[in-house]
Each structure stands twice: as structure tokens, then as C-alpha cells.
Amino acid sequence: MTPVVRAEGLTKYYGKRLGLEDLTLEIKPGEIFGYLGPNGAGKTTTIRLLLDVIRPTRGTITVLGADSRDARVRGRIGYLPGELALESRDRARDYLAFLARVRGGVSAGRIGELADRLDADLSVQMRRLSKGNKQKIGLIQAFMHEPELVILDEPTTGLDPLVQQEVMAMLREVRTSGRTVLMSSHVLAEVQEVSDRVGIVRAGRLVAVENVAALRERAVRRIELHFDAPVPREAFENLPGVRELRVEGASVRCTIDGRPDALIKAAARFTVVHLVSAEPDLEEIFLTYYSEEERRHAVQEPA
């Protein structure tokens, strides 16, 4: 099966500054591929190379079985940029109608359906739209022609939670239809919710490609437990994965690497009245992952 995206040795320098180095990656048909990394890691550079907005310093790219420079490929892609500039006096409806004609014809009904799902007002001049409403227009234009490949750079920026969930539903529908999504984000929760696999990029280098379950195994969570009476510190000391332990009377605070099974079993010996589990911050997952990589390399390297 031909990959939807194939990059081999993809490298981009901006003068002397590294943007991306030696990226080798395949994205399969019918999957949602999450592309994770903090700001400046190389996510947007990768997307711009795939779209032929910029050219690589070296390396090769194929998209939908063709060279990324082939203009015919672009009509088969839906793209939402991370920074969406919609500042014209045109109303959103007219802007989308223009794009529909450029793309060979998209029905007004299809545009209206997406606008209803995202609660987007198409009668407003685009320059008067809020950041969240501009994002909705960007999403409509990315999805409306039912492209074979949807590329989204930070798709839920500025959206309220209900609309975010609708976007996740739209992504699942793309996958169900056999089409493909590349979603770049620094928000772990939304990537975990819909992605089949994730690539982790750091400082311009792809450091891992994993399924979502494997990524969650590396997660660092902050846990806070409250009991109906004071608990002994020794009941929670030396538990697998438990770090930064603080026991203060009837409360226990700590961080957990990976599975919380040992902590939950220890807490079950007492009466728990309240529990808070903070979802891991993406930076924390990266730090955990990178520290493991650095330890591995340190062991492998000769003294």
C-alpha cells in the first residue's frame, strides 16, 4: 500500500539555523497521524515542506504518491495553517464560495452543513471575526472539498470545548471514509483522543514514532489524594513510579511516571474522599522521554 506521505532524509536549514534534520517518515492511508512537539520544534516546517510552500535543503518528499512539487496534488489536500490571516472586507460566505469555485465546485449545502456543525456565522466580514471564528472558517475551507489528505496545524486554537469536540468528530469521519489526517499540535489530550500513531519532534529531529498507548505509558501525571483522616508517609514511600511525594496530614501529592496502579492500591487501604489527576503536560512527557533517551545513550557510550 502506497504511503500517503513519505519523507526520506528531509532536511531544511534557514541560513545557518536548523529547521528540520534528516526526517524519515511514512503516514499510512486511512490513519490519523498526530505530530507532536513544542513551539519551534519543526512541526510547521515539516508541513510547509509537504505542501511545497518551502523547498528542502536536501531529502525527498512524496504526497499522495506524487512529488510534492506537482501542482495537481494540491487540490487533493485540505490545509489549515497555524496562523490564519483573514483580514479582508469580504464576508466569510463569499470567501468560501470563491474557494469552492477554485477547487472545482463545492455545493453551498456542503459549506452550510459545516458552518452549522461549527456554529460559524458566514455573514460577517472576515476582518471582524474573532480568532475563534476565523479558526472555524479555516476549518470549513480545509474540510469542505472532502480532500484525500487533511493537514491541520493546531486545529483547535481559540475554539470552545463543544466546537473542539465537533472537530474531533469530523476527524474521525475522515478516517472512517478511508482518508488521512496529519494533525500537528502541542495539546496532548486532543492528539490522544483521535490519533492512531504519533510522531514526536524535538529541536528539528524526529525522536520517536509510537502508537498512542505507548505514548501514554511515558506520561507524567500529577496526583492529589485527600483522605478522611491523616495517613502515614511510609504507606506511599518507594512505590513504583511515584516521585516528588508530599504527605501532609490527610493529603498526599505526588507525580506518577506511567501507570498509577501501585499508588491506587496503596490509597485503597484508606478512605479516599477526593482525588485529582492532572493530565500530563506535553513538555513533561517530552522531558521524561528525552531523559530516558539520554540515559540509554549514556549506557551505550563507552566511558
Side-chain angles (χ1 to χ4, degrees), residues 155-166:
T156 60
T157 300
L159 301 180
D160 66 55
L162 289 177
V163 178
Q164 289 178 18
Q165 287 304 308
E166 192 61 41

Side-chain angles (χ1 to χ4, degrees), residues 10 73 85 102 126 129-130 150 156 192 197 204 250 255 291 302:
L10 197 58
V73 171
V102 169
M126 288 187 295
L129 292 171
S130 67
V150 181
T156 60
Q192 283 182 333
R197 291 189 303 148
T255 60
S291 63

Side-chain angles (χ1 to χ4, degrees), residues 94-106 137 141-142 144:
D94 298 329
Y95 168 70
L96 292 171
F98 166 74
L99 290 180
R101 292 192 298 272
V102 169
R103 292 171 180 172
V106 176
I137 303 306
Q141 64 81 30
M144 67 183 190

Side-chain angles (χ1 to χ4, degrees), residues 47-224:
I47 289 173
R48 289 174 176 169
L49 288 166
L50 294 177
L51 294 168
D52 196 41
V53 175
I54 56 176
R55 296 283 171 84
T57 304
R58 61 177 179 270
T60 61
I61 322 164
T62 59
V63 179
L64 295 167
D67 189 294
S68 62
R69 301 183 185 190
D70 187 340
R72 292 171 296 182
V73 171
R74 295 172 194 169
R76 301 161 63 191
I77 298 172
Y79 171 49
L80 174 71
E83 295 294 333
L84 192 61
L86 297 176
E87 300 300 332
S88 81
R89 297 174 182 271
D90 293 334
R91 299 188 186 279
R93 180 179 292 107
D94 298 329
Y95 168 70
L96 292 171
F98 166 74
L99 290 180
R101 292 192 298 272
V102 169
R103 292 171 180 172
V106 176
S107 71
R110 168 69 175 165
I111 294 172
E113 173 198 341
L114 290 171
D116 289 343
R117 292 185 67 173
L118 297 175
D119 192 24
D121 185 352
L122 304 186
S123 66
V124 179
Q125 288 184 341
M126 288 187 295
R127 66 175 185 164
R128 299 186 182 279
L129 292 171
S130 67
K131 181 177 179 61
N133 284 315
K134 287 180 179 178
Q135 190 77 353
K136 294 175 184 178
I137 303 306
L139 286 162
I140 292 170
Q141 64 81 30
F143 281 87
M144 67 183 190
H145 56 304
E146 300 185 280
E148 295 171 56
L149 171 62
V150 181
I151 299 177
L152 306 174
D153 196 351
E154 305 290 351
T156 60
T157 300
L159 301 180
D160 66 55
L162 289 177
V163 178
Q164 289 178 18
Q165 287 304 308
E166 192 61 41
V167 173
M168 296 299 105
M170 290 163 60
L171 292 175
R172 293 189 189 95
E173 290 166 12
V174 171
R175 176 174 56 196
T176 300
S177 70
R179 295 177 287 136
T180 306
V181 177
L182 168 60
M183 180 173 71
S184 166
S185 179
H186 69 277
V187 182
L188 176 64
E190 67 185 22
V191 175
Q192 283 182 333
E193 185 177 345
V194 295
S195 295
D196 302 295
R197 291 189 303 148
V198 295
I200 300 174
V201 63
R202 178 201 188 196
R205 296 174 178 86
L206 185 68
V207 297
V209 176
E210 301 195 34
N211 63 41
V212 172
L215 179 66
R216 297 184 72 172
E217 287 293 318
R218 298 183 184 277
V220 178
R221 289 176 174 81
R222 291 181 294 277
I223 304 291
E224 184 176 327

